[in-house]
Amino acid sequence: MKKMIIASTSTLHGGQYLEYIKDQIASLFEGRKSILFVPFARPGGISWDDYTSRAATFFRTLGIDVRGLHEFEDKVEAISQAEGIFTGGGNTFVLVNELYRHNLMPVLKEAVNSGTPYLGSSAGSNITGLSMQTTNDMPIVQVPDYRTIGAIPFNLNPHYLDPDPEGKHMGETRETRIKEFHIYNSVPVLGLREGSWLNVSGDKITLEGGLEARLFRQGKEATELESGSDLSGLR
Amino acid sequence: MKKMIIASTSTLHGGQYLEYIKDQIASLFEGRKSILFVPFARPGGISWDDYTSRAATFFRTLGIDVRGLHEFEDKVEAISQAEGIFTGGGNTFVLVNELYRHNLMPVLKEAVNSGTPYLGSSAGSNITGLSMQTTNDMPIVQVPDYRTIGAIPFNLNPHYLDPDPEGKHMGETRETRIKEFHIYNSVPVLGLREGSWLNVSGDKITLEGGLEARLFRQGKEATELESGSDLSGLR
């Protein structure tokens, strides 16, 4: 039975790393002594070791050990044997490229679908959807494929940002960019604002965190979904 | 001799399409009766025809006819025979994909390098750099290659946006994203704020428009360049 927390962001403004969602993470990984951290997205170019240390510092407060996926010679086995998995944010292209390079996309999908508890934030959330095509990140490396693990039957836009009504910037809004995606793709896209997350339990997908999320579907007006909404039927 | 205007944006807040740069465009295309418009980037998913009409409406005020590249059966010949070329903004992935699909990247490069006057805005500016890897756009289609025409020996980030000191958003800033690019790539990146453009005349590249631009180089602190700066030596 799938068990996932898929968060828009790791950190809220003024808060500490993963602090706002600590109770949910404790519950997700309850009974786990050790989890596997996927550091590949490297936010700001941080090293795999340093990024893993950052995650480990947080998980120490829950009494859970963290090991970085990069430390394992046999990465396929590391994923399939993991008690729990956390994929951190950063650059989605870099993350996806590294997963394909080591042929890890299928085993990650299998682990999550078979019930290994999974936490994702930002880029680590992006890869739980059908494709990474609604990422906000720059294409700083080439990826062989945009398809991701599809543990949820739609796409995400993490760090979703509303247009600033006072703004004078003329670059495309996030909403315009997602509408452009829907010229070429029919997959629904959920804009997850910072402070929102999806709780996945088996086939049930619930919007949590007290904020509304913005749902974009091909050929339809965008709509707002209340916190607590059941997204299980969205596809 | 190269003659180009490479603009951050087509439109300033509160202004009309290309209005703020009309004098420079008139000078760039002086003596031209007709120019070729590349509508492939399709901002907001607008059709090629509608996008070409929008460009034609502006150029009519300069007494210049506009034809869309999509109207030509032989697109290679259309580019090589053009009196002038304007590539509009939109989604850079869609634009680059379409250029590769029709095998137009080499002929566009050749036309620009041999002196066909070229105007680019936003995505149409992105492709004048060495690669499209510092675009702000979502990867809504897969591209075969990130490399672009390289008429200037560095990369651009159009619609460059400064971090909001009051902002509470935790998604990566533009500066962070460009720094992540420099983990993997050594090409300099110029953040062009809306209202800035590059004027290219032969090998001379000048920053114009009265605003500073922000220059990012691998392994160095970002710096501000004054309007009027000579960028000819940047590589």
Side-chain angles (χ1 to χ4, degrees), chain B:
Chain B
M1 193 181 93
K2 266 185 267 192
K3 286 188 286 186
M4 309 172 74
I5 291 175
I6 302 171
S8 171
T9 184
S10 63
T11 312
L12 291 182
H13 182 74
Q16 297 295 310
Y17 188 62
L18 296 172
E19 182 190 32
Y20 75 100
I21 204 173
K22 186 171 178 175
D23 290 350
Q24 288 76 15
I25 295 174
S27 169
L28 177 71
F29 292 125
E30 196 178 355
R32 269 65 186 177
K33 290 204 161 25
S34 173
I35 62 164
L36 185 67
F37 179 62
V38 182
F40 293 151
R42 303 181 63 191
I46 187 175
S47 75
W48 293 335
D49 279 342
D50 287 351
Y51 199 16
T52 303
S53 293
R54 186 189 294 177
T57 300
F58 169 80
F59 276 95
R60 204 167 295 131
T61 68
L62 297 177
I64 296 174
D65 281 338
V66 169
R67 286 196 63 188
L69 180 54
H70 64 293
E71 301 167 32
F72 292 84
E73 186 73 26
D74 188 338
K75 293 177 175 54
V76 169
E77 194 188 316
I79 290 174
S80 59
Q81 298 294 319
E83 292 180 59
I85 298 170
F86 170 34
T87 305
N91 183 289
T92 309
F93 289 85
V94 173
L95 169 61
V96 166
N97 188 49
E98 205 68 20
L99 290 174
Y100 273 111
R101 196 165 74 83
H102 295 289
N103 199 24
L104 300 177
M105 210 60 96
V107 64
L108 185 57
K109 178 177 184 157
E110 170 60 23
V112 171
N113 285 342
S114 67
T116 306
Y118 180 92
L119 171 65
S121 72
S122 193
S125 293
N126 254 326
I127 64 167
T128 66
L130 290 168
S131 86
M132 56 162 286
Q133 290 178 271
T134 46
T135 176
N136 307 308
D137 300 329
M138 286 183 182
I140 63 177
V141 298
Q142 180 68 275
V143 297
D145 203 315
Y146 288 148
R147 282 173 295 181
T148 46
I149 66 174
I152 55 173
F154 49 88
N155 269 13
L156 295 174
N157 180 250
H159 301 284
Y160 182 75
L161 198 56
D162 292 291
D164 176 1
E166 306 289 307
K168 295 183 173 172
H169 189 70
M170 298 297 286
E172 290 90 338
T173 63
R174 201 66 69 77
E175 178 150 350
T176 298
R177 296 183 189 286
I178 295 169
K179 282 184 177 165
E180 290 177 351
F181 170 78
H182 277 143
I183 303 295
Y184 297 93
N185 302 276
S186 61
V187 171
V189 180
L190 189 68
L192 268 186
R193 296 183 177 93
E194 296 178 348
S196 284
W197 65 90
L198 299 181
N199 189 327
V200 182
S201 179
D203 290 331
K204 183 152 188 193
I205 307 172
T206 312
L207 175 64
E208 297 191 349
L211 303 171
E212 294 185 329
R214 194 158 179 84
L215 175 63
F216 301 88
R217 278 177 292 194
Q218 191 180 42
K220 296 188 178 164
E221 284 296 302
T223 53
E224 291 287 327
L225 300 180
E226 288 182 9
S227 182
S229 291
D230 182 348
L231 301 173
S232 313
L234 180 61
R235 60 202 69 217

Side-chain angles (χ1 to χ4, degrees), chain A residues 115-166:
Chain A
T116 306
Y118 180 92
L119 170 65
S121 71
S122 194
S125 294
N126 253 328
I127 64 166
T128 68
L130 290 168
S131 85
M132 56 160 288
Q133 289 177 272
T134 46
T135 177
N136 308 308
D137 300 329
M138 286 182 182
I140 61 177
V141 298
Q142 180 67 276
V143 297
D145 202 316
Y146 288 149
R147 282 173 295 180
T148 46
I149 68 173
I152 56 172
F154 49 89
N155 269 14
L156 295 175
N157 180 251
H159 300 284
Y160 182 74
L161 198 56
D162 293 291
D164 176 1
E166 307 289 307

Side-chain angles (χ1 to χ4, degrees), chain A residues 44-77:
Chain A
I46 187 175
S47 75
W48 294 334
D49 278 342
D50 287 351
Y51 199 17
T52 303
S53 293
R54 186 190 293 178
T57 300
F58 168 80
F59 276 96
R60 204 168 293 130
T61 69
L62 297 176
I64 297 174
D65 281 338
V66 169
R67 287 198 60 191
L69 179 54
H70 64 293
E71 301 168 32
F72 291 84
E73 185 74 27
D74 187 339
K75 294 177 175 53
V76 169
E77 193 188 320

